[in-house]
Amino acid sequence: MSSLTTNPRFTIVIAIFCSLSLVLAAKITYLMVFSHEFLSSEGRKRSTRLIETAPVRGTIFDRFNQPLAVSTPVSTLWVNPGQFAPTNQQSALLIDYLDIDASRIKKLTLNDRGKAFAYLARRVNPELAKKTMRLSIPGLYERQAYKRFYPQSSRLAQTLGFTNIDQKGIEGVELMYNHQLSGTSGLEERTLNLHKRLTRETLVHKPVTPGGDLHLTIDSTLQYYVEKALFKGLKNNAAKSASAILINARTGEILALSTMPSFNPNARRGFNAELIRNRVFTDVYEPGSVIKPFSMAAVLTANVIDKDAIIQIAPGFLKINGYTIRDVGRDHQLDLAGIIRRSSNVGMSKVAIPTGGAVISRLLTDLGFGNNTAIYFPGESIGTVPVKRVWSDIATASLSYGYSLSVNLAQLAQAYTVFANDGDLISLSLIKGKSQPPRNVISPEVANTVLDMMIQAVDGPGAGGKRAAIKGYVIAGKSGTSRKASSGGYKSNKYRAMFVGIAPANAPEFIMAVVVDEPTAHGYFGGAIAAPIFKEVLEDVLRIRNIPGHESEVFPAVHVSLEPEPSDSA
């Protein structure tokens, strides 16, 4: 033993060992005291992940809390390309489970060019995602996400719109109220275990805020009946499209609106992008005779024509400034109510010219034509109302029967509220509880006089809108037909058929505007094509809402042969 302690080599070894121990202890002490924060940070980088947590998008409801758009949980599978290294067997299973290309997996495998994040698959069923994660592939991670789902499929599709893959609204209501529906993402710090898998240990840096819900004025039941009638009208008339809007006559709330043909927002792959357009707001056109009630209101307001005047219509045409205005009907003379009932372009021109184009133009502008509705729907077209320093007779005449201006269907429905509310204009609303106060535009006397004229336009002798009549109810309305314009003038044999009606007219509850674009199977007049769609819908609506009828007939029963509606396409 003494020989060992006196052995110089042993002493040297012990000295070296002690020296190394002191150096190591000093180094450990230095790292723990002076480099603690740095080392802790590096450790966290290797064992934690900062994960953005997606908020659930708000639900869109109808007026009776029926869900129209909901968000359902899905999973997002992502990889860290620097760690992602599946075996051949695991790669084969990924291809089978997720229906992805082998080339995508190969591209992501051990690609360590500084990229720490890449999507592998999105909108994956949560159960399938769990099955995939059980493969324990290095560098593969899961994140919760949401997918937008529309329970009523194609119903109300152009109004609701849809979201993109990142849950951002890109069409319709989803786009209009994207900020309210979206919510805000959260940020969480999660810890990795020894196998690089996320544990349940979570530190919330920023809480997630879910999106707000939205309640529309839409009645899903009434929407169903509107879409059913529109689809039937589109098919029976072999038309290009058909659109309608149904509103509450007193509040301006939109109860239903639709365009046919439609699309399914749950299955948008390969669908025609043309179908997403909400034609109720986006399409503008010359309205034809549905504008005549407003022209007559301007005539009555100006008081330059005796309200009991009899207007000479024969010989059925009128020449102005080298242009010829014609009527299809063979009336010799008409009173003011008869001009609306028979939809006479000649009669309307004769009373409009003394009134003046400026007066009619100003009233149309006051009614909202040429301006956005209160909805401000994405892509809404405001149309135009002509404004001139000097109005020629032909310019005044053409404006009075619905040419030289352009409108959309929503504007028409909104403007007709003046006849249901003693001259007060009611702005449209699509969000529950956001109605605006009414604004008086014409006098109650004028509004009610024109309303009576529109009752005759549906239920009077020789009425152009008689196909909108509903037994037991007083209906007011006006049909219209306009030729479609093109860059070189008007198209040959291309028309739009329209009808706007109020039901019941003696106690207004509903206003519905309908347009059928390019009907080809059974003519093209508004009274023959669009009025029956109004009737079919309102028969159901009045029954469902239990609206009482009117026992007595407003006019004697007059049975006339179905003749072509007077021309609205001068």
Side-chain angles (χ1 to χ4, degrees):
M1 182 71 180
S2 58
S3 62
L4 287 175
T5 57
T6 58
N7 189 327
R9 286 182 295 179
F10 179 77
T11 304
I12 292 172
V13 169
I14 293 298
I16 292 173
F17 176 78
C18 292
S19 298
L20 290 175
S21 299
L22 290 174
V23 170
L24 182 60
K27 182 65 175 180
I28 292 173
T29 302
Y30 173 81
L31 292 175
M32 293 182 63
V33 175
F34 299 103
S35 301
H36 176 73
E37 290 300 324
F38 171 76
L39 294 175
S40 297
S41 174
E42 290 299 305
R44 284 194 297 270
K45 287 180 182 179
R46 288 162 174 77
S47 62
T48 62
R49 288 285 183 272
L50 284 177
I51 296 178
E52 186 178 72
T53 53
V56 58
R57 191 172 176 86
T59 301
I60 302 176
F61 297 96
D62 78 349
R63 67 185 303 109
F64 297 119
N65 293 321
Q66 290 293 318
L68 302 174
V70 299
S71 289
T72 58
V74 292
S75 292
T76 293
L77 297 176
W78 62 277
V79 302
N80 183 334
Q83 302 172 351
F84 186 57
T87 65
N88 290 338
Q89 182 181 6
Q90 289 171 331
S91 294
L93 290 173
L94 285 178
I95 294 170
D96 180 48
Y97 290 174
L98 306 177
D99 191 24
I100 57 179
D101 294 332
S103 59
R104 177 166 179 77
I105 296 177
K106 185 177 180 180
K107 183 178 179 180
L108 293 173
T109 302
L110 293 178
N111 180 356
D112 56 356
R113 298 179 182 176
K115 191 175 182 181
F117 178 92
Y119 287 115
L120 179 64
R122 305 181 71 178
R123 294 185 175 183
V124 179
N125 180 286
E127 291 302 318
L128 180 58
K130 288 180 181 178
K131 182 178 178 182
T132 304
M133 293 304 294
R134 283 197 289 267
L135 297 176
S136 299
I137 301 173
L140 175 63
Y141 303 97
E142 179 187 6
R143 176 188 297 178
Q144 186 185 45
Y146 296 93
K147 177 183 178 181
R148 205 61 163 165
F149 177 70
Y150 301 90
Q152 300 195 27
S153 188
S154 61
R155 194 178 306 167
L156 209 68
Q158 292 98 339
T159 300
L160 293 174
F162 48 83
T163 62
N164 61 16
I165 196 169
D166 294 313
Q167 294 290 281
K168 302 299 181 185
I170 55 176
E171 290 290 343
V173 170
E174 295 276 28
L175 173 60
M176 288 171 65
Y177 294 94
N178 183 64
H179 181 72
Q180 176 178 335
L181 292 165
S182 291
T184 56
S185 300
L187 190 63
E188 295 181 353
E189 182 180 300
R190 296 184 182 179
T191 304
L192 301 176
N193 60 23
L194 293 176
H195 302 287
K196 300 294 183 181
R197 314 307 302 171
L198 291 172
T199 69
R200 293 185 179 182
E201 189 176 333
T202 300
L203 177 63
V204 177
H205 290 275
K206 178 186 174 184
V208 64
T209 304
D213 294 336
L214 199 63
H215 290 79
L216 304 186
T217 58
I218 296 294
D219 183 328
S220 292
T221 301
L222 304 190
Q223 179 73 25
Y224 165 77
Y225 286 104
V226 168
E227 295 200 5
K228 183 183 73 168
L230 273 185
F231 182 77
K232 178 180 176 181
L234 178 75
K235 184 177 179 181
N236 289 349
N237 293 291
K240 180 179 179 181
S241 69
S243 303
I245 177 171
L246 175 69
I247 69 171
N248 183 307
R250 299 295 188 185
T251 66
E253 291 181 316
I254 298 175
L255 303 174
L257 73 162
S258 179
T259 291
M260 289 290 168
S262 187
F263 69 98
N264 183 354
N266 296 316
R268 300 198 302 273
R269 183 178 297 178
F271 80 99
N272 185 355
E274 182 75 7
L275 300 181
I276 70 175
R277 195 164 83 240
N278 192 327
R279 296 174 183 267
V280 173
F281 291 97
T282 64
D283 286 17
V284 293
Y285 34 78
E286 291 175 307
S289 286
V290 292
I291 218 71
K292 285 176 180 171
F294 306 116
S295 300
M296 187 59 74
V299 170
L300 294 172
T301 299
N303 201 28
V304 297
I305 301 292
D306 189 330
K307 65 179 181 179
D308 298 318
I310 302 298
I311 308 301
Q312 190 72 20
I313 305 300
F317 63 87
L318 178 65
K319 290 188 176 182
I320 305 176
N321 304 136
Y323 295 89
T324 301
I325 298 170
R326 300 182 183 277
D327 283 349
V328 171
R330 295 172 293 278
D331 301 291
H332 291 284
Q333 57 186 24
L334 294 169
D335 60 7
L336 299 188
I339 291 172
I340 297 298
R341 184 182 74 253
R342 297 289 288 157
S343 197
S344 170
N345 291 339
V346 172
M348 194 72 254
S349 299
K350 285 191 171 184
V351 298
I353 289 171
T355 301
V359 175
I360 299 173
S361 174
R362 185 162 51 249
L363 176 59
L364 293 174
T365 301
D366 287 344
L367 288 165
F369 296 112
N371 291 286
N372 278 298
T373 64
I375 305 298
Y376 287 93
F377 197 86
E380 180 177 350
S381 299
I382 65 173
T384 58
V385 176
V387 177
K388 303 176 184 291
R389 294 183 62 184
V390 178
W391 283 83
S392 66
D393 288 350
I394 188 61
T396 299
S398 64
L399 178 64
S400 72
Y401 53 75
Y403 281 79
S404 74
L405 78 159
S406 59
V407 306
N408 67 42
L409 199 63
Q411 290 172 333
L412 277 172
Q414 178 177 266
Y416 266 73
T417 61
V418 297
F419 302 124
N421 294 280
D422 297 324
D424 288 347
L425 181 70
I426 311 296
S427 295
L428 299 183
S429 61
L430 185 57
I431 305 302
K432 225 179 151 183
K434 287 196 175 183
S435 298
Q436 298 185 14
R439 176 172 58 87
N440 185 259
V441 179
I442 57 179
S443 70
E445 294 77 17
V446 168
N448 291 320
T449 298
V450 176
L451 181 64
D452 289 339
M453 293 179 179
M454 290 194 296
I455 292 173
Q456 294 188 46
V458 172
D459 210 6
K466 55 181 163 286
R467 288 192 174 184
I470 299 174
K471 185 177 180 181
Y473 290 92
V474 182
I475 305 298
K478 186 70 190 75
S479 56
T481 310
S482 66
R483 293 181 66 183
K484 295 186 69 171
S486 65
S487 57
Y490 289 99
K491 296 180 180 180
S492 176
N493 298 321
K494 301 289 186 182
Y495 296 89
R496 288 186 178 91
M498 285 161 277
F499 185 84
V500 186
I502 301 172
N506 57 316
E509 291 283 345
F510 306 101
I511 294 173
M512 182 173 174
V514 183
V515 61
V516 180
D517 189 16
E518 295 188 20
T520 59
H522 303 289
Y524 52 82
F525 290 116
I529 305 299
I533 296 175
F534 170 91
K535 177 181 180 178
E536 182 174 342
V537 171
L538 267 298
E539 279 182 330
D540 287 323
V541 170
L542 294 170
R543 172 180 54 81
I544 291 167
R545 289 293 185 88
N546 198 27
I547 305 299
H550 190 66
E551 295 296 328
S552 61
E553 294 288 331
V554 177
F555 296 99
V558 178
H559 300 284
V560 295
S561 61
L562 187 61
E563 57 190 31
E565 179 188 274
S567 174
D568 300 318
S569 53

